[in-house]
C-alpha cells in the first residue's frame, strides 16, 4: 500500500495540475475530508456540488455534463487524466475508487462552465493513494 498524497484544488483553476502521476491499469482511491466548501459566485457547495434554479438552464453547458454523468452538478469535484474530459470522472464527496484508463498526470477541477471560472473562490482538499 502506498502513502497518500494530499492535494489542494483551487476552485478558480480550469485544469489544476496536481503533479501526481497515474499509471495505466493501477487502482487509486481519492478521499475528501468532510465539511469543506467552495463558492461559485454566491453559491456555496461541498464537493458534491449543486445546481440552483437559475443555473438549471445552463447545466448542459457544464464541462462534465449531465448527459455524460447524470450526477454532474455545478461545482462537483472532478478528476481526470491530463487536460482531457475523455477520462473525467466524478470524485464528489468520495471516497472514489478508479482505475487509470491511461498513464498521465492526475488533474482536478470544480465542474463549471468554461467562461465562468473568474467568480470561483475557495479550494477543496483531497488525498489520493494507489491501492493496487
Amino acid at each position: 500500500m502506498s502513502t497518500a498524497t494530499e492535494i489542494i484544488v483551487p476552485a478558480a483553476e480550469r485544469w489544476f495540475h496536481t503533479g501526481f502521476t497515474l499509471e495505466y491499469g493501477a487502482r487509486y482511491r481519492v478521499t475528501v475530508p468532510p465539511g469543506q466548501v467552495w463558492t461559485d459566485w454566491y453559491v456555496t457547495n461541498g464537493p458534491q456540488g449543486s445546481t440552483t434554479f437559475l443555473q438549471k438552464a445552463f447545466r448542459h453547458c457544464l464541462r462534465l455534463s449531465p448527459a455524460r454523468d447524470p450526477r454532474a452538478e455545478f461545482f462537483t469535484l472532478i478528476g481526470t487524466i491530463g487536460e482531457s474530459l475523455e477520462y473525467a470522472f466524478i470524485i464528489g464527496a468520495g471516497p472514489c475508487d478508479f482505475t487509470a484508463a491511461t498513464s498521465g498526470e492526475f488533474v482536478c477541477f470544480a465542474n463549471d462552465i468554461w467562461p465562468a471560472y473568474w467568480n470561483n473562490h475557495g479550494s477543496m482538499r483531497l488525498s489520493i493513494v494507489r491501492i493496487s
Side-chain angles (χ1 to χ4, degrees):
M1 183 80 79
S2 301
T3 303
T5 299
E6 188 171 291
I7 296 166
I8 298 174
V9 181
E13 293 280 335
R14 286 185 175 97
W15 301 106
F16 181 68
H17 292 264
T18 67
F20 187 90
T21 302
L22 302 170
E23 182 181 319
Y24 169 74
R27 297 239 346 121
Y28 298 88
R29 175 168 293 140
V30 180
T31 55
V32 181
Q36 299 182 82
V37 295
W38 47 11
T39 304
D40 181 10
W41 190 23
Y42 66 91
V43 180
T44 300
N45 289 289
Q48 72 285 351
S50 68
T51 300
T52 68
F53 178 76
L54 294 175
Q55 291 171 323
K56 195 171 215 139
F58 301 99
R59 195 165 172 238
H60 69 282
C61 298
L62 286 168
R63 291 173 63 201
L64 182 61
S65 76
R68 176 128 173 250
D69 189 324
R71 301 171 301 151
E73 302 284 354
F74 280 83
F75 260 54
T76 301
L77 177 59
I78 305 294
T80 190
I81 304 171
E83 289 189 5
S84 172
L85 293 176
E86 177 183 355
Y87 304 112
F89 59 92
I90 290 178
I91 297 169
C96 170
D97 293 355
F98 70 96
T99 301
T102 190
S103 294
E105 185 179 13
F106 181 51
V107 173
C108 298
F109 58 89
N111 201 26
D112 205 350
I113 58 176
W114 188 262
Y117 279 80
W118 63 272
N119 67 3
N120 298 349
H121 305 284
S123 59
M124 200 60 57
R125 187 168 41 94
L126 61 82
S127 64
I128 184 168
V129 64
R130 183 174 174 164
I131 55 176
S132 69

